Amino acid sequence: MADQRVAIVTGAARGIGAATAKRLAADGFAVAVLDLDEANCADTVKAIEAEGGKALAVGVNVSEREAVEAAVERVANELGAPTVLVNNAGITKDNMLFKMTDGDWDAVIAVHLKGHFLMTQATQKYMTQAKYGRIINLSSTSALGNRGQANYSTAKAGVQGFTKTVAIELGKYGITCNAIAPGFIETEMTAATAARVGISMEDFKNAAASMIPVARVGQPEDIAHTVSFLASEGSGFVSGQIIYVAGGPKD
Ligand code: NAP
């Protein structure tokens, strides 16, 4: 299909990114599946192709300018000009403030903040040319503050400011920019947190669910569904918003 729209999803080898890539492919997008290691993208690409979709695996570290520029150019050459970008790649390096190292701080800020900046900068030129675009960033309820996550909550609060500014700068080109702030989503990231605090994933999930109004933890598909809405043509008057997807109100 010559005019198939192209979406880029970072951190799409697993978790929320993989579910999002599959959902956007089901919505009709050709999907660039980006992650640190190209080989790790194979499962997501195969799942998309098995459903008749089109996908391309690309290895990239989103915090490295040259790699990002090369990756986005490759997507444009091999799939077509990208007009949807989902900045999803992320890491945690949790520690209480008094124990947090420079390395813990720098790594988290680099992947989330520099990653969002570089990926958005490299992709917006295709969107401004097309006079159409949808940029969807991954923040977190941790932006509101979370024990043991001074680095991560700072990065996720920064993503919200970045989102609003990009929405203001690029709006006149038909480009929207919004952020999704998930609560507890069952992925390897939350499994790693359970392991760090020394409880089983089942107990961790039950404790979280007991404090969530809809009485369950989230699944990657809950976030993919929200991305699908924000990536759709019909969402063109929604921009600069932070949507908490957490099973209850947050602010
Ligand atoms: P995940 O399961 O840990 O997956 C993250 C993916 O990002 C991994 O495949 C990882 O690759 C990749 N990645 C890490 N650093 C990268 C880099 N520099 N360049 C490219 N790819 C990189 O995480 P998740 O739970 O799906 O989370 C996805 C996003 O949602 C993150 O931004 C996270 O902060 C946010 N979020 C998650 C939750 C939650 O409860 N799970 C809640 C709020 C927000 P490797 O496997 O090679 O490291």
Side-chain angles (χ1 to χ4, degrees):
M1 211 190 322
D3 60 352
Q4 188 177 24
R5 283 214 162 116
V6 175
I8 294 177
V9 184
T10 68
R14 63 168 198 244
I16 293 169
T20 297
K22 290 178 212 169
R23 174 59 188 263
L24 292 178
D27 289 346
F29 291 93
V31 182
V33 176
L34 272 57
D35 212 288
L36 270 177
D37 184 348
E38 186 168 322
N40 289 345
C41 300
D43 285 352
T44 308
V45 169
K46 271 188 217 146
I48 289 172
E49 289 174 348
E51 295 295 319
K54 192 169 175 186
L56 173 73
V58 180
V60 64
N61 182 339
V62 296
S63 58
E64 290 175 4
R65 174 172 286 280
E66 281 180 16
V68 164
E69 288 174 353
V72 173
E73 201 178 323
R74 190 176 153 208
V75 171
N77 290 339
E78 295 186 32
L79 278 187
T83 52
V84 172
L85 170 65
V86 185
N87 281 312
N88 167 81
I91 59 168
T92 52
K93 299 263 179 207
D94 297 351
N95 228 329
M96 296 300 286
L97 178 64
F98 77 103
K99 286 196 280 189
M100 190 169 281
T101 66
D102 287 6
D104 295 336
W105 180 269
D106 292 344
V108 169
I109 298 297
V111 177
H112 295 275
L113 286 185
K114 194 154 188 206
H116 273 67
F117 162 57
L118 293 177
M119 284 299 306
T120 305
Q121 196 180 53
T123 310
Q124 57 80 34
K125 69 176 182 192
Y126 297 100
M127 300 186 185
T128 50
Q129 268 163 25
K131 298 238 173 338
Y132 180 87
R134 299 280 182 263
I135 299 164
I136 298 132
N137 298 325
L138 265 293
S139 180
S140 167
T141 52
S142 294
L144 303 169
N146 199 24
R147 189 180 173 84
Q149 291 196 313
N151 49 3
Y152 185 78
S153 64
T154 299
K156 292 307 199 183
V159 164
Q160 299 193 4
F162 179 73
T163 299
K164 292 176 189 184
T165 299
V166 171
I168 290 167
E169 288 191 17
L170 300 185
K172 66 180 174 195
Y173 301 104
I175 300 168
T176 64
C177 182
N178 293 285
I180 298 171
F184 188 117
I185 308 296
E186 189 176 352
T187 68
E188 285 185 36
M189 186 178 272
T190 34
T193 307
R196 181 178 58 84
V197 297
I199 60 171
S200 75
M201 184 61 170
E202 220 40 46
D203 288 348
F204 195 44
K205 276 166 47 184
N206 288 338
S210 72
M211 293 185 294
I212 297 172
V214 301
R216 68 169 177 89
V217 300
Q219 296 300 322
E221 292 72 22
D222 290 312
I223 305 305
H225 191 73
T226 314
V227 172
S228 171
F229 162 70
L230 291 171
S232 68
E233 263 186 56
S235 72
F237 207 51
V238 181
S239 197
Q241 299 304 302
I242 315 303
I243 302 183
Y244 283 90
V245 182
K250 299 277 176 186
D251 56 25

